[in-house]
């Protein structure tokens, strides 16, 4: 089979103007970024505001292997399959970060014959949204340090600065740095550090803001530091949010693209699914719901992280009502959860599968707690044996959950027809969607509900630092916000090696941080890296371009 990039380079795709016309979008309502990309502007938002919403389908997954389980590929393939059964669907996705593209995992434009295009542009600079977010974040940091350097009227304590600079590249050397060295002219010396752009609160804000005015207000509410006399300092105190909004003006507009089969897709925003809520923008999702009968979207990592935050943060804030949830499962990930090393996952191993399939069971049980229909997509790999696939099917039947085999990687939309039919049928059932908890509960009550109901935790341990942070948030009157738990994606627990569906364990809350502008409270468990490093042999080593500008090695 051809590589992902070879498939894309051989494909014939529509101009973005044709895609827009299929959605009854006029040229006045889009802004072209070349032949195959466009921004959707406020004129379109205004035109569609009173139109009835389509049905919202969330695609999530079981706990993945380090290589991922094809959740984005399944999302794209399902959208393509909808067209095969004459249903009008649109896909809503996150934008890729350059960190995984040049690191280990590769891009986030799908795979095989279920990709969004132009794949090269999407995985690289796209329409510049990531750069705009990086610039806005770093402008805020520069204004803060300049304020201290120029007399520090707000009496900012350099030892209690809460924000960091960002960069959309994996660079471990920048995690912890010292700035302002070599004399007064270069600023005030202090410890600082970088996070990756997709971990920036500004990314989360862009994805949750309703409109430009809300974006500006949320940016102003970012808690950046404390003063020497314990007063909170916000971005608005530095008069930063106006200029930051100007930098984000174009990035705030969702991006229209298409799949290999011409299915429309809106791709916008890309917050981490552990440090943030891991979903594409509210603006993009709401537009997609107006433009088609079905909006198919995804949330990062497994359902314990991405789906829970989609329901308890994004749906609450945006007033969304999902119709059904699709859990992507793979034989290899289930065997991985049966404690088989990743280098042995290609070999048939029914014993490991039987041991690890309880992971799927826990995810199904968890999603049912939100009172919406659940469907399982068994994402087939060429190394899966018939015996293994049959065992997964039998397990789903035993649990009374609808399922379908998905072969969208190798067959495109045609490989997802059975899945599309089942999803449409599920979406017609009554959805009684309800979030897991009330935001007005205490911070610890909310943490413990998520930990016990979703992770299966016996109890939660809090460090002294976490208790102190919770008190500070309560003193600010910001404790009535949803909870965003940052933990490993590989386990229900805070230990990436505790696989399957563990019981009788506890998690430790190390610290708690207020993302005041985004509108949620981040709870840190385990070792969460906000600036990843590159592996020994990065994917970047294999990416190249020839004299005719043909790119190779991108996946």
């Amino acid at each position: 089979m051809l590589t992902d990039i070879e498939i894309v380079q051989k494909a014939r795709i529509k101009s973005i103007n044709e895609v827009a016309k299929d959605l009854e979008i006029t040229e006045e309502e889009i802004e072209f970024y070349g032949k195959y990309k466009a921004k959707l502007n406020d004129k379109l938002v205004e035109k569609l505001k009173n139109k009835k919403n389509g049905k919202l389908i969330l695609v999530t997954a079981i706990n993945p292997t380090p290589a991922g389980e094809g959740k984005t590929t399944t999302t794209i393939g399902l959208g393509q399959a909808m067209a095969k059964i004459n249903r009008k669907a649109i896909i809503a996705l996150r934008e890729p970060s350059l960190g995984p593209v040049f690191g280990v995992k590769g891009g986030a434009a799908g795979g095989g014959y279920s990709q969004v295009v132009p794949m090269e542009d999407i995985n690289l600079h796209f329409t510049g949204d990531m750069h705009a977010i990086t610039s806005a974040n770093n402008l805020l940091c520069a204004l803060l340090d300049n304020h201290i350097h120029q007399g520090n009227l707000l009496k900012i304590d350099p030892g209690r600065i809460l924000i960091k600079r960002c960069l959309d590249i994996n660079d471990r050397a920048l995690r912890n740095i010292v700035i302002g060295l070599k004399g007064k002219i270069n600023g005030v010396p202090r410890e600082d550090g970088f996070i990756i752009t997709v971990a920036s609160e500004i990314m989360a804000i862009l994805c949750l803001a309703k409109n430009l005015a809300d974006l500006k207000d949320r940016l102003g509410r970012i808690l950046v530091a404390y003063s020497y006399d314990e007063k909170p300092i916000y971005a608005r105190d530095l008069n930063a949010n106006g200029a930051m909004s100007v930098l984000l003006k174009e990035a705030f507009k969702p991006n229209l693209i298409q799949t290999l089969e011409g299915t429309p897709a809106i791709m916008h925003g890309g917050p981490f699914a552990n440090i943030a809520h891991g979903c594409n923008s509210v603006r993009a999702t709401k537009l997609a719901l107006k433009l088609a009968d079905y909006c198919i979207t995804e949330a990062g990592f497994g359902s314990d992280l991405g789906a829970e935050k989609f329901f308890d943060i994004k749906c609450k804030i945006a007033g969304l009502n999902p119709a059904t949830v699709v859990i992507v499962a793979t034989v290899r990930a289930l065997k991985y959860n049966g404690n088989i090393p990743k280098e042995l996952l290609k070999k048939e191993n029914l014993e490991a599968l039987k041991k690890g399939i309880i992971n799927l069971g826990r995810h199904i049980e968890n999603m049912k707690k939100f009172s919406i229909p659940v469907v399982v997509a068994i994402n087939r790999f060429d190394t899966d044996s018939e015996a293994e696939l049959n065992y997964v099917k039998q397990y789903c039947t035993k649990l009374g959950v609808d399922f379908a085999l998905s072969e969208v990687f190798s067959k495109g939309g045609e490989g997802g027809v059975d899945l599309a039919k089942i999803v449409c049928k599920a979406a017609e059932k009554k959805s009684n969607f309800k979030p897991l908890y009330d935001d007005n509960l205490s911070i610890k009550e909310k943490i413990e509900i998520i930990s016990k109901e979703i992770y299966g935790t016996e109890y939660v341990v809090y460090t002294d630092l976490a208790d102190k942070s919770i008190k500070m948030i309560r003193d600010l009157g910001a404790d009535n916000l949803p909870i965003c738990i940052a933990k490993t994606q590989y386990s229900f627990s805070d230990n990436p090696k505790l696989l399957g569906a563990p019981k009788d364990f506890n998690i430790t809350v190390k610290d708690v941080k207020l993302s005041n502008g985004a509108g949620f409270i981040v709870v840190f468990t385990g070792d969460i890296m906000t600036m990843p490093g590159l592996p020994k042999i990065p994917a970047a080593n294999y990416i190249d371009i020839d004299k005719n500008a043909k790119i190779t090695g991108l996946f």
Side-chain angles (χ1 to χ4, degrees), residues 458-516:
E458 186 174 5
Y459 59 93
V460 181
V461 178
Y462 298 87
T463 64
D464 290 343
L465 177 61
D467 280 330
K468 182 181 178 182
S469 298
I470 288 171
K471 182 182 182 301
M472 291 173 64
I473 293 170
R474 191 167 60 243
D475 290 344
L476 290 172
D479 52 331
N480 61 340
L481 295 174
I483 298 297
C484 178
I485 297 185
K487 73 169 188 69
T488 178
Q489 66 268 36
Y490 299 120
S491 172
F492 280 110
S493 74
D494 54 3
N495 176 2
K497 295 181 180 179
L498 200 58
L499 303 178
K503 295 179 181 179
D504 303 323
F505 67 94
N506 61 70
I507 65 168
T508 300
V509 174
K510 293 186 172 182
D511 197 6
V512 179
K513 175 182 177 289
L514 175 62
S515 287
N516 197 52

Side-chain angles (χ1 to χ4, degrees), residues 251-284:
F252 190 54
K253 299 171 183 175
N255 307 292
L256 179 66
I257 50 172
Q258 64 186 297
T259 73
L260 284 169
E261 296 179 10
T263 303
I266 300 178
M267 182 173 259
H268 194 220
F272 260 18
N274 43 23
I275 196 69
H277 62 297
C279 311
N280 73 310
S281 76
V282 166
R283 201 164 175 80

Side-chain angles (χ1 to χ4, degrees), residues 136-146 163-166 190 192:
N137 183 101
N138 293 343
L139 172 63
L140 177 57
C141 293
L143 289 170
L144 185 148
D145 280 307
N146 183 63
I163 59 167
K164 292 186 176 184
R165 287 163 165 82
C166 72
R190 68 175 182 89
D192 197 3

Side-chain angles (χ1 to χ4, degrees), residues 32-50:
F32 296 104
Y33 276 64
K35 190 175 180 181
Y36 303 112
K37 303 169 294 199
K39 288 276 186 184
L40 301 172
N41 62 35
D42 286 345
K43 291 179 181 178
L44 179 62
V45 175
E46 183 65 23
K47 182 179 84 172
L48 297 173
K49 67 180 182 180
N50 295 320

Side-chain angles (χ1 to χ4, degrees), residues 352-369:
L353 178 60
K354 290 174 182 178
K355 186 179 177 183
I357 205 164
I358 56 172
N359 184 265
L360 173 58
R362 174 78 63 83
H363 285 283
I364 292 170
E365 178 188 343
N366 286 347
M367 292 300 94
K368 286 181 176 179
K369 291 177 181 178

